Amino acid sequence: MSSSVDGTAAGGPYPHHGGAVEHVADTVGYRGPTACAAAGITYRQLDYWARTGLVEPSVRPAYGSGTQRLYSFRDVVVLKIVKRFLDTGVALQNIRTTVQHLRDRGFVDLERMTLMSDGATVYECTSPDEVVNLLQGGQGVFGIAVGVVWRDVESALSQLHGERVDTGETLVGHNPSDELARRRNRAV
């Protein structure tokens, strides 16, 4: 399996498709409720997956009562991939193996990858030829074009709030009428 690079608009808090690459994980994190909303999962799923090590927050783990996990953009993409696999009936253990493989590979080129599954095994395809070969072999039943998931997460997060890792400042998405976020920033 291959993996991913996080991109962000120059000077902006949110990742974007293509363009200049910057490590978003180093500067912006997304709290649990934001990650849930962008990935389409429940907080209960998020908490279980973090506690069992399926998808742990790479920006900041929770250190007991009162601390909040912060997920990177890439973490949210992986959460959404896990959700899509679960929705198609792939067993959680097979998903765990897939996520571990992605983690071992360092999430390089995740955006360009297609993940295919026959329901029992997940296959990584990084080119159209690999997808065709898999389908011709009769193995692939469904696929997840990770680039599409990537763009879905980008779109969702652009409407939600992030948090600067260094200052804790709330970064408001493309919703300038959010009064609560403006008040938080004034209070800091």
Side-chain angles (χ1 to χ4, degrees):
M1 299 217 171
S2 291
S3 307
S4 141
V5 175
D6 289 332
T8 184
Y14 297 99
H16 79 285
H17 190 71
V21 175
E22 179 181 315
H23 262 313
V24 174
D26 294 338
T27 59
V28 177
Y30 303 97
R31 290 184 181 193
T34 300
C36 289
I41 61 173
T42 66
Y43 193 82
R44 188 175 197 168
Q45 287 173 307
L46 180 79
D47 184 56
Y48 176 73
W49 296 346
R51 285 185 293 110
T52 61
L54 178 61
V55 181
E56 297 173 295
S58 63
V59 177
R60 183 178 67 215
Y63 293 110
S65 180
T67 61
Q68 297 220 359
R69 298 179 184 112
L70 282 182
Y71 291 84
S72 70
F73 173 78
R74 180 180 49 227
D75 296 337
V76 179
V77 170
V78 173
L79 288 168
K80 190 162 185 98
I81 290 168
V82 169
K83 169 72 167 137
R84 291 235 175 131
F85 274 129
L86 284 174
D87 288 348
T88 57
V90 176
L92 190 57
Q93 188 54 44
N94 293 335
I95 296 169
R96 260 182 215 290
T97 302
T98 301
V99 171
Q100 185 58 49
H101 181 74
L102 291 172
R103 189 178 292 128
D104 292 346
R105 298 277 304 234
F107 297 98
V108 177
D109 295 328
L110 183 63
E111 181 182 10
R112 294 176 190 84
M113 182 186 308
T114 299
L115 297 172
M116 304 287 292
S117 179
D118 59 6
T121 306
V122 177
Y123 305 91
E124 170 193 329
C125 300
T126 55
S127 73
D129 291 337
E130 290 177 344
V131 173
V132 170
N133 289 340
L134 187 63
L135 291 172
Q136 286 176 339
Q139 295 171 329
V141 173
F142 64 89
I144 297 174
V146 179
V148 173
V149 173
W150 185 282
R151 288 184 294 280
D152 287 349
V153 170
E154 282 178 337
S155 178
L157 289 176
S158 73
Q159 302 297 316
L160 301 168
H161 306 306
E163 179 179 313
R164 284 187 54 96
V165 175
D166 55 351
T167 64
E169 173 187 2
T170 299
L171 301 171
V172 181
H174 299 300
N175 186 356
S177 64
D178 191 337
E179 180 63 26
L180 180 58
R182 281 197 301 268
R183 287 182 188 178
R184 279 191 205 125
N185 286 336
R186 275 187 255 146
V188 172

